[in-house]
């Protein structure tokens, strides 16, 4: 007590000694300057790598009234229309608050198109969206004082709307169709390497048709091939013209896109079918109509890009300063039905990489966007590597291609838990559309830091224990995944089958691994159900395992039933040595342990877990809501037997098990 | 922006750990490994209290108290039982491992739905900026929650750093610092050196426990493996901080530890953002620390060089 009193006196009020007199402000700042500068630099580097995630702060102050006008209704136009709407939504603008879109369709009638645009000139319209070339040309002619944004039109330089991409009609900008000619020629060569003469019809009355024909001619010649062209004046003449073009001895029919040939396309299909000439075209819709292969711009994507230009205008840029853009994405559609009918054999690689397959082997449409998938792992162990491989193969199985449908980036915290949150942040700021996690802490960090993004987990024994939901069905709306619970009951049954008199089975467990503890509890439950007792010995570090193993053997057990866990997997060989000395068979839950000396393994395969996780992720990418997908346990089990290990400890494995075994080691 | 805010927040929360390590390693020259256990201890106590519905302020305070006790234990082992300091820390750290499992009842406690400090920050933010979900800063949007958690972490670092600074300038604090510098002299002056060491380690680990409590609330779970390898990184932050401020005066070293911790987390975030091979993460981290350490020397050389040319 006296001591305490003197201590209190001693703390005192503090008579400040000389060395603690506050230095002048300036020198303080000078001392801290270097640190602050470095922190600022590091922050700037981070922010710069995040530039494209900026939201412009100059949000439109008014509600923009947009008039969307198109000449006809057809699938490509509809795709462009949907793409435009999607682009507006993606930019963070709110429909009804920042903009409203009025759609006017001229139903193929030019005069109607004119009157639609006349009303726009007088009505309160702030911006014009156009789809198709005629709609754009009419708009440019009529409207000089409102911005016009186009998509699905030919390059305006073909009709004098622009000199080049930078220098164009000042109130107009947009995304023009850049028929992917070179890609088309590559595809033709890939399918028909011997083809020399390519034929197409063009329509002299349509400026864009002449323009496209000339472009195509130059490029075909550049590639050392020949383009045979034939004029056609209306869709009525198409059938005849197609026949006479084929009569000129062409190897391949490759129809450029213009209005005349679009209207009469079925006649071209018929003519090509009659004379067994492969027909290529520049529109997915025409491939569905019966062409063999189409190589076209992704109209949905062009629409989306055009809408993003429109958003820039709404945020204050002038259309004159926004360069015109060629459509960038190319989609390939293959009609396998036509190929089969005509006996064409197409290269597998081409068919498999096609965005759309019409006819046999109907593949689901590729995803509506390229998904940015970020896989976050906590440590480097075998299970993680197996699961990762499973995930990659699972996406392949689902028909998704890396680079086309998704990008997959793997991050690993190397067992450093503090880094996990930063990993998730980093994945989010790289624009992750979907997070895949392995291990419990990773899942928890993702739930905390990833907002509403979908999360698909694996390598978690109980997601409910991790806090991801109340039950496997009732869980957080953005989280779902695969529970890698071991096959407790199955393994216990196998022990019963091979050792009918076993009473006490033993395992090592790791108190600090939540999965290990969970596995231990579940195994104990399963054991007691079939009249056995599970004896457990804890091990906390890899150094403990050999002593713990010896202690386990001394507990009068009949067999070892080693539960799954990270540490016990690393140090499994120590356990094998100890059990061999005591001639006790080991039953285990992890595949590789059958090779390391367990007599019988009933495994949930982590590779299969990865496959399942990829399947769930694919369902989410195809539009299913994670909220509706329950957490699912891994279902597949593998039974492996190691005869050599069993013989060493005198275990006679029943025939019934040997018959069922997927693999028998050391016969 | 999320990444930047997250990294700085993490840096500020872990700056309490850095300050704790600064007290033991620098002020007392005591190689205290207890931190690996006490950060988890603070997290475990806070987590279990929060799960049982206690107030986050109380839970965080309890985290501090838990760390304080752990530090005292290490100090007593060292001073009473004459156990080597490093070993005393290792003993307590090892024992805490089981204690943490006991406290939590399992190896991992999720805090995803509990009311935590982060929830409080969000509430304050909503009250100050009604109706919003995010704040625009120069075109980047950050959520109100993240912004206010960052602000809170900054205030905590400022407050705790300030308290420590003021405390270290009292008679007691001065005696503690002097004990670290020259225990013989302090003995001669009649100060009970052992008491100083025990109290110093208590305060040091109190800071570390508080850091753990806040970390658990920030990342949404407490896990028994949280503290593994953390002392080394904290020490790196402290040394970077010293290199930054280039002074051994108390106020500067505290500010340096905070800045070092923030800078260190920023560098880790950059390394992650640039998408290197995940297996190289630790290597890159080491390289960053190395660069941060030699930078002041380089700058000094450059300055000298500039000075010499001027004199000619």
């Amino acid at each position: 007590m006296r001591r305490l009193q003197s201590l209190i006196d001693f703390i005192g009020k503090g008579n400040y000694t000389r060395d603690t007199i506050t230095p002048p402000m300036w020198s303080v700042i000078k001392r801290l300057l270097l640190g602050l500068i470095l922190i600022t630099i590091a922050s700037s580097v981070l922010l710069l790598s995040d530039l494209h995630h900026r939201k412009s702060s100059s949000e439109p102050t008014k509600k923009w009234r947009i008039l969307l006008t198109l000449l006809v209704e057809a699938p490509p136009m509809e795709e462009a229309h949907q793409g435009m709407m999607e682009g507006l939504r993606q930019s963070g603008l709110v429909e009804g608050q920042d903009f409203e879109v009025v759609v006017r369709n001229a139903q193929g009638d030019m005069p109607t198109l004119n009157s639609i645009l006349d009303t726009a000139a007088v009505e309160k319209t702030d911006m014009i969206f156009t789809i198709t070339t005629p709609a754009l040309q009419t708009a440019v002619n009529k409207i000089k004082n409102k911005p016009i944004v186009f998509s699905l039109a030919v390059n305006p330089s073909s009709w004098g709307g622009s000199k080049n991409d930078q220098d164009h009609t000042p109130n107009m900008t947009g995304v023009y169709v850049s028929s992917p000619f070179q890609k088309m020629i590559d595809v033709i060569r890939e399918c028909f390497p011997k083809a020399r003469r390519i034929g197409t019809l063009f329509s002299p009355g349509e400026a864009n048709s002449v323009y496209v024909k000339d472009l195509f001619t130059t490029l075909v010649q550049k590639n050392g091939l020949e383009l045979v062209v034939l004029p056609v004046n209306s869709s009525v003449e198409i059938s005849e013209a197609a026949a006479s073009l084929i009569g000129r001895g062409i190897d391949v029919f490759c129809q450029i896109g213009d209005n005349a040939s679009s209207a009469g396309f079925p006649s071209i299909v018929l003519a090509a079918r009659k004379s067994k000439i492969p027909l290529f075209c520049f529109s997915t819709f025409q491939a569905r109509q019966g062409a063999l292969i189409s190589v076209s711009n992704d109209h949905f994507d062009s629409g989306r890009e055009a809408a993003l230009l429109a958003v820039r205008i709404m945020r204050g840029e002038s259309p004159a300063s926004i360069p015109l853009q060629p459509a960038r994405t190319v989609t390939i559609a293959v009609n396998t039905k036509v190929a089969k009918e005509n006996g064409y054999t197409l290269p597998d690689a081409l068919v498999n990489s096609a965005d759309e397959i019409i006819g046999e082997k109907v593949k689901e449409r590729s995803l509506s966007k390229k998904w940015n998938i970020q896989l976050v792992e906590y440590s480097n162990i075998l299970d993680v590597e197996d699961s990762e491989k499973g995930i990659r193969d699972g996406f392949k199985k689902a028909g998704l291609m890396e680079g086309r449908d998704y990008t997959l980036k793997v991050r690993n915290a190397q067992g450093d838990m503090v880094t996990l949150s930063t990993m998730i942040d980093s994945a989010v700021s790289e624009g992750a559309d979907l997070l895949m996690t392995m291990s419990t802490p990773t899942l928890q960090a993702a739930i905390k830091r990833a907002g509403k993004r979908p999360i698909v987990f694996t390598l978690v024994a109980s997601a409910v224990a991790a806090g991801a939901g109340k039950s496997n069905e009732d869980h957080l709306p953005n989280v779902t995944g695969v529970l890698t619970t071991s096959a407790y009951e199955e393994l216990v049954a196998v022990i019963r089958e091979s050792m009918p008199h076993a009473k006490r089975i033993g395992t090592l467990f790791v108190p600090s691994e939540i999965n290990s503890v969970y596995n231990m509890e579940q195994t104990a439950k399963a054991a007691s159900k079939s009249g056995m007792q599970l004896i457990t010995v804890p091990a906390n570090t890899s150094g403990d395992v050999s002593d713990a193993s010896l202690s386990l053997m001394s507990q009068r057990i009949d067999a070892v039933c080693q539960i799954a866990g990270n540490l016990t997997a690393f140090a499994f060989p120590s356990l094998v040595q100890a059990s061999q000395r005591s001639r006790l068979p080991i039953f285990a839950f992890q595949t590789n342990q059958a090779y390391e000396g367990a007599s019988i393994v009933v495994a949930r395969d982590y590779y299969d877990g990865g496959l399942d996780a990829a399947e769930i992720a694919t369902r989410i990418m195809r539009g299913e809501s994670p909220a509706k997908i329950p957490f699912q346990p891994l279902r597949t089990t593998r039974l492996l037997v190691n005869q050599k290990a069993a013989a060493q400890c005198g275990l006679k494995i029943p025939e019934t098990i040997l018959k069922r075994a997927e693999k028998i080691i050391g016969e | 922006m999320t990444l930047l805010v997250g990294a700085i927040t993490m840096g500020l929360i872990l700056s309490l750990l850095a300050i704790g390590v600064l007290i033991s390693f620098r002020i007392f020259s005591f190689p205290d490994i207890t931190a690996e256990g006490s950060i988890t201890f603070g997290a475990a106590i806070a987590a279990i209290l929060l799960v049982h519905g206690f107030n986050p302020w109380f839970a965080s305070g309890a985290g501090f108290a838990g760390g304080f006790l752990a530090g005292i234990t290490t100090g007593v082992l060292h001073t009473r039982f004459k156990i080597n300091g490093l070993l005393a820390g290792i003993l307590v750290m090892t024992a805490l491992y089981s204690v943490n499992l006991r406290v939590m009842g399992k190896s991992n406690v999720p805090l995803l739905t509990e009311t935590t400090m982060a929830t409080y920050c969000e509430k304050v933010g909503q009250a100050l900026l009604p109706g919003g979900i995010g704040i625009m800063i120069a075109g980047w949007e950050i959520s109100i929650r993240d912004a206010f958690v960052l602000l809170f972490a900054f205030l905590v670092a400022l407050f705790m750093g300030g308290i420590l600074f003021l405390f270290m300038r009292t008679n007691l604090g001065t005696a503690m610092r002097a004990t670290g510098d020259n225990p013989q002299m302090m003995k001669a002056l009649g100060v009970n050196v052992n008491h100083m060491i025990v109290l110093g380690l208590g305060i040091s680990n109190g800071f570390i426990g508080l850091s753990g409590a806040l970390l658990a609330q920030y990342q949404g779970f407490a896990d028994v493996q949280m503290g593994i390898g953390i002392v080394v990184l904290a020490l790196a932050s402290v040394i970077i901080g010293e290199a930054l401020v280039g002074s051994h005066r108390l106020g500067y070293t505290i500010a340096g530890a905070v800045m070092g911790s923030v800078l260190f987390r920023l560098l880790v975030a950059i390394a992650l953002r640039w998408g290197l091979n995940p297996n190289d993460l630790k290597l890159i981290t080491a390289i960053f620390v190395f660069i941060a350490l030699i930078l002041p020397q380089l700058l000094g050389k450059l300055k000298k060089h500039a000075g010499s040319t001027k004199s000619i």
Side-chain angles (χ1 to χ4, degrees):
Chain A
M1 203 61 227
R2 213 153 31 84
R3 269 195 185 164
L4 188 69
Q5 190 54 53
S6 65
L7 189 73
I8 293 169
D9 292 344
F10 186 75
I11 293 177
K13 292 226 169 58
N15 59 356
Y16 295 140
T17 42
R18 179 182 288 270
D19 79 316
T20 53
I21 291 170
T22 330
M25 205 61 206
W26 166 236
S27 66
V28 173
I29 291 173
K30 220 163 107 177
R31 282 273 178 218
L32 300 185
L33 203 57
L34 177 63
L36 294 175
I37 288 174
L38 284 177
I39 288 177
T40 315
I41 291 174
S43 304
S44 314
V45 169
L46 261 188
L47 274 186
L48 284 177
S49 54
D50 227 6
L51 260 182
H52 60 286
H53 282 278
R54 263 182 77 162
K55 286 195 175 175
S56 164
S57 48
S58 55
E59 285 301 345
T61 45
K62 61 169 180 181
K63 182 163 154 187
W64 284 70
R65 200 159 178 281
I66 300 169
L67 175 79
L68 193 153
T69 159
L70 39 103
L71 177 64
V72 282
E73 236 173 322
M77 327 302 172
E78 192 44 37
E79 280 167 27
H81 175 188
Q82 291 309 330
M84 279 182 148
M85 299 308 289
E86 176 65 20
L88 289 173
R89 281 192 288 268
Q90 272 183 2
S91 63
L93 300 182
V94 185
E95 190 164 6
Q97 187 182 312
D98 298 317
F99 69 88
E100 57 175 352
V101 180
V102 183
V103 184
R104 294 261 195 279
N105 185 333
Q107 308 292 0
D109 187 32
M110 286 302 264
T112 317
L113 192 61
N114 274 299
S115 53
I116 289 175
L117 286 158
D118 283 335
T119 56
V122 291
E123 263 183 28
K124 275 200 252 159
T125 302
D126 303 308
M127 192 184 311
I128 318 283
F129 275 9
T130 69
I131 295 177
T132 66
T133 311
L136 170 63
Q137 287 169 308
T138 320
V140 168
N141 283 337
K142 279 206 181 297
I143 292 165
K144 307 286 179 202
N145 57 351
K146 296 185 203 307
I148 299 166
V149 178
F150 65 87
S151 78
L152 203 57
V154 290
N155 191 334
S157 65
S158 64
W159 49 265
S162 68
K163 282 203 177 62
N164 54 42
D165 288 0
Q166 282 73 29
D167 182 7
H168 53 79
T169 310
N171 65 327
M172 163 195 93
T173 187
V175 179
Y176 57 84
V177 176
S178 59
S179 293
F181 295 132
Q182 188 54 53
K183 182 76 195 171
M184 175 61 93
I185 294 165
D186 293 344
V187 169
I188 292 175
R189 277 197 163 148
E190 200 179 340
C191 301
F192 302 97
K194 293 201 178 81
R196 301 270 322 116
R197 288 162 62 84
I198 301 171
T200 189
L201 302 175
F202 76 105
S203 159
E206 294 176 55
N208 61 337
S209 182
V210 176
Y211 169 81
V212 169
K213 175 211 59 164
D214 291 342
L215 265 183
F216 195 28
T217 309
T218 336
L219 210 61
V220 168
Q221 283 167 353
K222 226 195 215 161
N223 280 275
L225 303 172
E226 192 186 342
L227 188 68
V228 184
V229 296
L230 207 63
V232 60
N233 289 316
S234 74
S235 51
V236 184
E237 301 170 15
I238 290 248
S239 169
E240 223 172 302
S244 69
L245 181 64
I246 292 167
R248 297 189 175 200
I250 53 170
D251 306 316
V252 171
F253 203 129
C254 177
Q255 184 52 52
I256 57 171
D258 56 36
N259 291 326
S261 66
S262 298
F265 199 76
S267 317
I268 300 180
V269 172
L270 276 176
R273 190 184 296 169
K274 247 190 244 160
S275 41
K276 293 248 188 250
I277 296 282
L279 171 61
F280 291 75
C281 61
F282 290 95
S283 139
T284 310
F285 179 64
Q286 291 173 350
R288 292 183 202 145
Q289 284 183 310
L292 176 64
I293 291 181
S294 73
V295 179
S296 64
N297 289 127
D298 184 333
H299 304 314
F300 179 88
D301 207 59
S302 318
R304 199 179 54 85
E305 293 277 337
L308 294 181
L309 300 183
V311 169
R312 282 166 62 183
I313 295 171
M314 290 192 226
R315 286 180 172 150
E317 271 185 72
S318 150
S321 65
I322 303 178
L324 309 180
Q325 289 182 9
R328 286 193 192 86
T329 34
V330 173
T331 56
I332 295 180
V334 176
N335 193 325
T336 49
K337 210 164 106 213
V338 173
K340 209 172 150 188
E341 281 167 6
N342 294 289
Y344 303 130
T345 43
L346 299 174
D348 277 346
L350 179 77
V351 178
N352 285 334
S353 67
D355 300 276
E356 184 171 341
I357 293 180
I358 300 125
E360 290 214 359
K361 216 178 81 180
V362 175
K363 208 173 62 167
E364 289 184 75
R365 236 192 92 70
S366 68
L367 304 175
S368 57
K369 63 169 179 183
K370 195 198 265 191
W371 281 68
N372 176 337
I373 303 175
Q374 304 265 347
L375 174 60
V376 186
E377 302 163 356
Y378 168 56
S379 60
N380 275 350
I381 41 176
L382 275 175
D383 319 349
V384 168
E385 287 164 21
D386 285 353
S387 300
E388 194 186 313
K389 193 167 177 306
I391 286 175
R392 287 180 191 279
D393 289 354
F395 283 137
K396 270 202 204 92
K397 257 176 70 173
L400 302 180
M401 270 177 58
E402 191 163 3
R404 185 192 69 187
D405 298 309
Y406 68 93
T407 53
L408 180 67
K409 180 145 187 204
V410 182
R411 296 160 193 279
N412 192 317
Q414 309 287 333
D416 182 7
M417 218 168 276
V418 176
T419 307
L420 273 180
S421 289
T422 315
M423 290 238 161
I424 303 286
D425 285 346
S426 166
V428 167
S429 61
E430 258 183 49
D433 301 310
L434 175 82
L435 280 162
M436 298 187 80
T437 67
M438 291 187 189
S439 87
T440 303
T442 320
L443 169 63
Q444 288 168 316
I447 291 174
K448 196 77 190 168
R449 306 281 318 146
K452 294 190 174 63
R453 284 173 186 73
I455 300 169
V456 178
F457 62 80
T458 178
L459 292 184
V460 170
S462 166
V464 173
K470 290 192 185 71
S471 71
N472 286 352
E473 290 72 32
D474 175 15
H475 55 73
L476 294 174
N478 61 323
V479 182
T480 186
V482 181
L483 300 165
T484 37
T485 42
S486 303
Y488 315 107
E489 313 250 334
E490 290 91 329
L491 184 62
V492 166
V494 164
I495 298 176
R496 262 275 159 267
E497 204 172 338
S498 40
M499 304 178 74
H501 305 295
K503 283 266 178 300
R504 291 159 63 86
I505 51 178
T507 185
L508 302 180
F509 80 106
V510 186
S512 64
E513 285 178 25
I514 194 160
N515 282 347
S516 178
V517 174
Y518 183 82
N519 285 334
M520 176 196 79
E521 289 165 354
Q522 299 299 321
T523 310
K525 265 188 211 155
S528 69
K529 259 192 207 161
S530 71
M532 291 189 279
Q533 192 189 354
L534 182 72
I535 312 296
T536 61
V537 174
N540 278 313
T541 64
S542 48
D544 298 347
V545 172
S546 66
D547 290 346
S549 305
L550 293 173
S551 133
L552 183 65
M553 301 309 150
S554 65
Q555 309 243 13
R556 292 182 298 104
I557 52 174
D558 304 310
V560 177
C561 167
Q562 183 51 53
I563 57 166
N566 296 340
L567 176 66
T568 46
F570 282 135
F572 191 70
S574 310
L575 181 67
V576 173
Q577 280 180 348
S579 72
Q580 275 173 352
R581 272 190 230 130
S582 322
R583 289 181 54 84
L584 286 172
I586 301 183
F587 297 84
F589 291 100
Q590 287 173 280
T591 312
N592 52 335
Q593 290 171 355
Y595 297 87
E596 290 172 4
S599 300
I600 299 182
V601 165
V602 179
R604 291 272 199 248
D605 197 88
Y606 294 114
Y607 173 81
D608 295 342
L611 286 180
D612 288 4
E615 190 203 345
I616 292 178
T618 309
R619 281 163 64 186
I620 292 171
M621 290 191 270
R622 296 213 191 274
E624 229 176 302
S625 154
K628 293 196 176 67
I629 305 176
F631 301 157
Q632 30 183 289
L634 242 177
R635 282 173 301 270
T636 42
T637 49
R638 302 183 165 200
L639 177 64
L640 296 96
V641 173
N642 186 330
Q643 284 282 48
K644 203 168 135 208
Q648 271 175 341
C649 53
L651 174 71
K652 177 93 186 64
I653 296 177
E655 280 303 312
T656 46
I657 291 181
L658 290 175
K659 272 200 189 110
R660 296 204 307 268
E662 176 184 321
K663 193 160 177 65
I664 297 175
I665 300 151
E667 276 179 294
Chain B
M1 194 72 183
T2 317
L3 180 60
L4 174 69
V5 171
I8 296 180
T9 310
M10 195 60 123
L12 288 167
I13 290 174
L14 290 175
S15 71
L16 297 175
L17 165 74
I19 292 175
V21 169
L22 172 85
I23 297 169
S24 55
F25 275 75
R26 280 292 183 230
I27 295 181
F28 283 93
S29 315
F30 188 103
D32 179 28
I33 304 286
T34 319
E36 301 231 340
S38 57
I39 191 166
T40 317
F41 192 39
I45 292 173
I48 212 71
L49 288 175
L50 288 169
V51 168
H52 285 100
F54 281 86
N55 171 310
W57 289 102
F58 178 75
S60 308
F64 183 93
F68 189 83
L69 278 177
I72 295 249
T73 315
T74 305
V76 168
L77 286 182
H78 173 63
T79 55
R80 261 304 140 83
F81 301 100
K82 301 285 175 272
I83 297 172
N84 166 301
L86 197 56
L87 197 56
I90 291 173
L91 284 178
V92 174
M93 168 188 113
T94 312
L96 277 177
Y97 191 84
S98 300
V99 173
N100 291 333
L101 283 171
R102 281 260 169 213
V103 169
M104 295 198 282
K106 48 189 173 179
S107 66
N108 175 301
V109 174
L111 296 172
L112 300 169
T113 50
E114 277 67 23
T115 304
T116 62
M117 279 297 176
T119 328
Y120 276 19
C121 294
E122 196 172 11
K123 276 192 188 139
V124 169
Q126 296 288 14
L128 291 179
L129 304 165
I133 38 168
I135 308 170
M136 295 294 267
I137 296 178
W140 277 281
E141 193 179 25
I142 57 173
S143 77
I144 282 189
R145 181 193 174 96
D146 284 356
F148 277 82
V149 168
L150 172 65
L151 185 68
F152 173 76
F154 178 73
L155 291 176
V156 168
L158 194 70
F159 176 78
M160 294 304 288
I163 290 273
L164 181 70
F165 180 65
L166 291 175
F167 171 77
M168 283 294 175
R169 288 171 30 154
T170 59
N171 275 345
L172 175 59
T174 312
M176 283 171 81
R177 282 186 291 150
T179 304
D181 289 337
N182 192 340
Q184 257 59 33
M185 184 188 79
M186 293 315 282
K187 258 195 193 128
L189 289 174
V191 172
N192 186 331
V193 172
N194 285 351
H195 282 181
M196 293 296 131
I197 291 178
V198 172
L199 184 61
L201 287 180
I203 293 172
S204 153
N205 282 286
F207 271 82
I208 294 166
L210 176 63
S211 177
L214 296 177
L215 185 61
Q217 295 177 60
Y218 173 73
Q219 63 184 15
F221 63 93
D223 190 290
V224 78
Q225 303 183 14
M226 257 165 91
I228 292 174
I230 214 159
V231 168
V232 181
L233 300 182
L235 202 55
S237 307
V238 170
I239 294 169
I240 291 176
E242 281 180 352
L244 289 178
V245 294
S247 159
H248 287 291
R249 295 174 67 153
L250 178 70
Y252 289 135
T253 46
I254 294 176
V258 176
M259 289 198 304
S261 176
V262 170
L263 190 60
F264 186 78
R265 296 318 307 182
L266 280 174
L267 292 176
V268 170
I270 289 175
L272 287 173
R273 183 68 186 81
W274 285 353
L276 43 107
N277 177 338
N279 295 341
D280 298 341
L281 181 64
K282 299 249 163 162
L283 175 67
I284 300 280
T285 315
I287 290 172
F288 274 145
V289 174
F290 172 73
I291 291 173
L293 292 183
I294 59 164
L295 195 67
Q297 297 175 26
L298 285 179
L299 287 174
K301 270 189 189 152
L302 282 177
K303 268 187 199 152
K304 261 192 201 143
H305 199 72
S308 64
T309 48
K310 261 186 208 151
S311 61
I312 297 164

